[in-house]
Amino acid sequence: MDKREFILIVDEDTSERQELREYLSEAYRVGEYANGKEAFDYLNQNPLEVDMIIAGARLEDCDGFELLHLLKESKPLNVIPVIMLVDGEETQRKAIEGGVVDVITKPFSQPVVVCRVKNAVKANNVPTFINVMEDLVREQIDKNINTFGICQCAVCRGDLAALALNHLPPKYVSTEKGRLISATEKMSYNNILEIIKAIAECAEMVKQNPRHEKDLYE
């Protein structure tokens, strides 16, 4: 089985895709799409497959910036690093502000492409750790906030989340490959009930001592 990282090239220019494939295929597995929407559909169906995306700014149906936005909005996909192909200062600025890990300016050369991809892949493979219980608690608060009988302002929501997390065991996962699968899918029915129970108990404390009211008069 080929264990090399998989790079997905998304660019409407056939010659550019072929050029990038030639540069990268010796060190990486490479796939390609000319259409942004088709690429996003593939990523949704294969969230564990792709290690990096190289995207052109101009794409059919869904351009590079729209694709980047869709990826950032999707939890299984928002950790996949994106390098964007740019052809000017304004496009470069927009790409960096959008959250790409790097840009490659056209016309590009093999040494630059290989170096930037290598650095980005290496940076993405450095393991870090997150407590996914934070996401699970926030998710259940959002789903059940109307049943708790508390103020729904940001302060009270934040206090409720903090209190509940202090009453629940942390659930740490490695993000070496990113948050590839929603932690919620791995939780059993009993786990979810335990989280909701803890939130409900802490909601009573927030209801009795709503901090936002104190802040209004201080």
Side-chain angles (χ1 to χ4, degrees), residues 50-205:
V50 178
D51 295 284
M52 175 163 295
I53 299 167
I54 300 177
R58 297 176 180 83
L59 301 170
E60 296 178 14
D61 291 342
C62 170
D63 69 24
F65 297 106
E66 291 175 296
L67 177 60
L68 183 63
H69 176 72
L70 290 172
L71 293 171
K72 295 299 182 184
E73 291 296 310
S74 174
K75 279 189 177 181
L77 303 176
N78 62 6
V79 294
I80 302 176
V82 178
I83 294 178
M84 188 168 287
L85 305 174
V86 300
D87 55 8
E89 185 175 328
E90 178 60 22
T91 308
Q92 179 174 326
R93 179 195 62 77
K94 189 176 177 181
I96 293 172
E97 289 179 349
V100 298
V101 297
D102 207 345
V103 296
I104 297 175
T105 304
K106 301 178 185 181
F108 39 76
S109 66
Q110 182 170 1
V112 171
V113 170
V114 172
C115 182
R116 290 183 183 275
V117 170
K118 180 180 178 181
N119 288 343
V121 169
K122 183 178 179 181
N124 195 54
N125 284 338
V126 176
T128 56
F129 302 91
I130 59 169
N131 178 14
V132 296
M133 185 61 77
E134 294 179 15
D135 284 346
L136 295 169
V137 165
R138 291 192 186 96
E139 182 178 340
Q140 292 306 319
I141 289 175
D142 290 341
K143 285 182 177 180
N144 299 283
I145 189 68
N146 291 327
T147 68
F148 298 138
I150 68 168
C151 169
Q152 298 186 22
C153 75
V155 173
C156 289
R157 283 173 178 260
D159 287 347
L160 178 55
L163 286 169
L165 285 167
N166 283 327
H167 288 78
L168 290 164
K171 182 178 176 61
Y172 286 99
V173 296
S174 169
T175 61
E176 184 173 356
K177 288 277 289 184
R179 202 176 318 187
L180 299 172
I181 300 176
S182 171
T184 307
E185 296 175 0
K186 295 182 176 181
M187 301 294 284
S188 70
Y189 181 70
N190 288 336
N191 293 142
I192 299 300
L193 288 180
E194 179 185 358
I195 293 172
I196 295 174
K197 180 181 177 183
I199 295 172
E201 291 174 352
C202 293
E204 288 300 314
M205 300 170 62

Side-chain angles (χ1 to χ4, degrees), residues 1-10 17 20-33 42-43 46-54 80 113 117-118 121 125 177 180:
M1 181 179 178
D2 193 340
K3 295 184 178 181
R4 295 179 300 168
E5 286 90 355
F6 182 59
I7 311 294
L8 186 67
I9 301 169
V10 189
R17 294 200 311 273
L20 289 168
R21 176 183 283 276
E22 290 176 5
Y23 292 169
L24 299 171
S25 58
E26 183 175 341
Y28 307 99
R29 293 180 293 129
V30 180
E32 58 183 79
Y33 278 94
Y42 170 81
L43 289 162
N46 304 274
L48 302 179
E49 181 69 17
V50 178
D51 295 284
M52 175 163 295
I53 299 167
I54 300 177
I80 302 176
V113 170
V117 170
K118 180 180 178 181
V121 169
N125 284 338
K177 288 277 289 184
L180 299 172

Side-chain angles (χ1 to χ4, degrees), residues 32-46:
E32 58 183 79
Y33 278 94
N35 183 293
K37 183 179 183 304
E38 291 178 359
F40 185 68
D41 289 342
Y42 170 81
L43 289 162
N44 270 320
Q45 295 169 12
N46 304 274

